[in-house]
Amino acid sequence: MGGDLLATVRTAGRYRTAVEAERAVRHVLAAFAGQLTGAVRVGFLRALPPEVAGIVAGEIRDERRRTACAFVDRVAARTEGATHATARWDASTVLTAVGAHLGEELLQRVLAQLPRGYALLFGRADLTPTA
C-alpha cells in the first residue's frame, strides 16, 4: 500500500507496526469514500497512490453526507475495539497525511465539498464563516 503515505501515517500516528498504520488507512478511507462527488472525487482518487485509491473507489456505496462527528463514529464502527477518541486519532492522522498528498488547491476543493468540521480532521483550522 502506498509506501510514502503509509510511512507518513505510521510516523505521525505513532503506530507500532506498518500493519496498524495500514489498518487505520483502510478504515478511515473506506468510511470517507462516499463523502466526495464529481470532479472533486475524481481528483481525490487520482492524487492517491493507486492501491490506496482502490480502497476508496471500492467503498463508494453509501453516499450519505455525514458530519465530521458522524464520520468519526463510522470509523469507530469499522474498527474493532475502537472508541470515538481512538477513531478520531486515526481519522485525523490519515486525513492529515492524505491532505499533504493532495496539494493545496485540491485540498481546498475537497474541504469546500465537506460539511463544517472536516478541516480539523485534515489538520487545518476550520475558519468557515457561519451564517
Side-chain angles (χ1 to χ4, degrees), residues 4 37 44 90 121:
D4 290 344
T37 60
F44 181 82
D90 289 347
L121 294 174

Side-chain angles (χ1 to χ4, degrees), residues 58-102:
E59 289 290 334
I60 300 175
R61 291 186 203 104
D62 181 5
E63 297 186 8
R64 288 178 291 156
R65 302 274 294 191
R66 289 183 169 73
T67 64
C69 186
F71 164 71
V72 170
D73 287 340
R74 189 161 188 227
V75 172
R78 290 174 167 270
T79 308
E80 185 177 335
T83 65
H84 184 83
T86 60
R88 189 179 191 307
W89 177 265
D90 289 347
S92 183
T93 299
V94 171
L95 293 180
T96 298
V98 166
H101 266 333
L102 298 181

Side-chain angles (χ1 to χ4, degrees), residues 16 24 68 91 113 115 118:
R16 289 175 291 189
Q113 213 178 72
Y118 276 87

Side-chain angles (χ1 to χ4, degrees), residues 5-15 20-21 24-25 28-29 71 85-100 120-123:
L5 179 61
L6 188 58
T8 300
V9 168
R10 183 175 178 188
T11 300
R14 297 186 179 117
Y15 297 106
E20 287 179 4
V25 170
V28 170
L29 292 182
F71 164 71
T86 60
R88 189 179 191 307
W89 177 265
D90 289 347
S92 183
T93 299
V94 171
L95 293 180
T96 298
V98 166
L120 295 172
L121 294 174
F122 279 90

